[in-house]
Amino acid sequence: MTWLFEHWFAAALLLAYAGMLVLHARSGLQGTRGTADYFVGGRRFGGVAIGISFYATFASTNSYLGHSGKGYEYGAPWLTMAVLLVLFTWVSWKLVAPRIRRFAADWNSVTVPDLLAVRFGSDRVRRAAGAIIVFSSLLYMIAIFKGVGHLFEAFLGIPYEAAVGVNLVIVVAYTAVGGFLSVVRTDVLQGALMLVGSVLLFGFITHAAGGIGTVTQVTELAGAERLFDLDAAIPFPVLLGIALAGSLKLLIDPRQVSRFYGLRDERSLGTGIWVAVGGILVIQFCLFPLGLYARFLLDGVTDTDVIIPTLVTDATVFPRLVSDFLVVAILGAAMSSLDSVLLVAASVTSRDLVRPKSEATEMRLTRIGVVAFAAVAALIALRPPGGIVELTIFSGSLYAVCFLPTVLLGLHWRRGNEAAPLAAFGVGIAVLVAWLALGLTSFLHEVFPALAASMTAYIALAATEQPVADPRVQALFGK
């Protein structure tokens, strides 16, 4: 009762938020007549909704808690990643979205492996891509559960384990029921909360630190003397690799490119690109500098994932009403990514790995998969194998080395059959794991050699092998 009295505004917002989730789940259930509706919303959304869903899906607790806190450790060079995120959002909508939308609609594809199976004329490519997506999605979900667990633990004063459990119940409820329709409509609400929340975080934290201009004085603090050096905490090539691993996935991460499947026509792309780029720009450039300003407010931080939860619950930094709103906004950020990743992992498992014979069975298995994947990720998050940024960056590295050549070149170059993507998958993963095992990441981030190897393997085999003869593929490349 004491908590409800003190945080009545947060309770009211959470109640309203839960009501909207129920409403969207109900409307999603009513609007779902088959797998096309459940997986891609019947391809009926305009550019504004998909643009908001694109940036809301990306900017999760990895941005609000992970990336914002890392500036405390990595310093000013960490802003490199914010720049790359904006750049690759624009590139994704320019180079990937038009062809993904067209190919998926013409081939009636509803998942990324589904599309790749037609493009390369191979069910082996479908299964290999599906396995990679499921594993990477699981890593990402663990990171999101970890972030929300820390937030609720700090704000509600409940144990970390209970906080993870609360998040699990909420996200499973509306994702399993409403599918893509529910996810995108919920993203629109969450995207608005996230924009306001990022601006509030930047405004109040910079004010508490002494104003925006005080960041130039951070090097006068003990232990922060090199935070404006290019190699502030780690060699810049390593930091650049981290930034690339985190931003390249905007081009090929299934939870991002699956947004394009839901666009109703190509004219929607013109609106969507500016909504998506604008949202990413505001959110990332409000959040990424916060770790630097936190140097003026917190000493001796060892886990940068707890910086934002600690500051949000500090009454000297945030008024209680603002703090209450921010907790709901960050919760919305977590949900907007978690629901998309859950839907992608479950739909890929059902459609591309299990492959049931009937549509009704496929829908049932996908809903069961949403519950199962959420439960496994939440269980692992109780003892996570790494920090938020580390988990999401490795997931991004895996996507980059496997899917950047396969998706990007596969959409724009007609040559290549199943040998090219399978070689890119195998070589890319082998180099990625070997680089990590040999401890070479202190000199050069693993994404550089692994991506170079996978890209070389794809190009070498695609150039020498015959293109897929399927007339559906040749017809689209001829347009």
Side-chain angles (χ1 to χ4, degrees), residues 52-53 56-57 183-191 259 336 339-340:
I52 295 174
S53 182
T57 295
V183 166
V184 172
R185 288 167 180 164
T186 302
D187 282 351
V188 173
L189 167 66
Q190 291 165 163
R259 308 299 95 182
S336 65
D339 55 18
S340 299

Side-chain angles (χ1 to χ4, degrees), residues 39-57:
F39 291 170
V40 295
R43 311 184 204 277
R44 69 184 72 169
F45 287 101
V48 173
I50 294 298
I52 295 174
S53 182
F54 187 91
Y55 78 70
T57 295

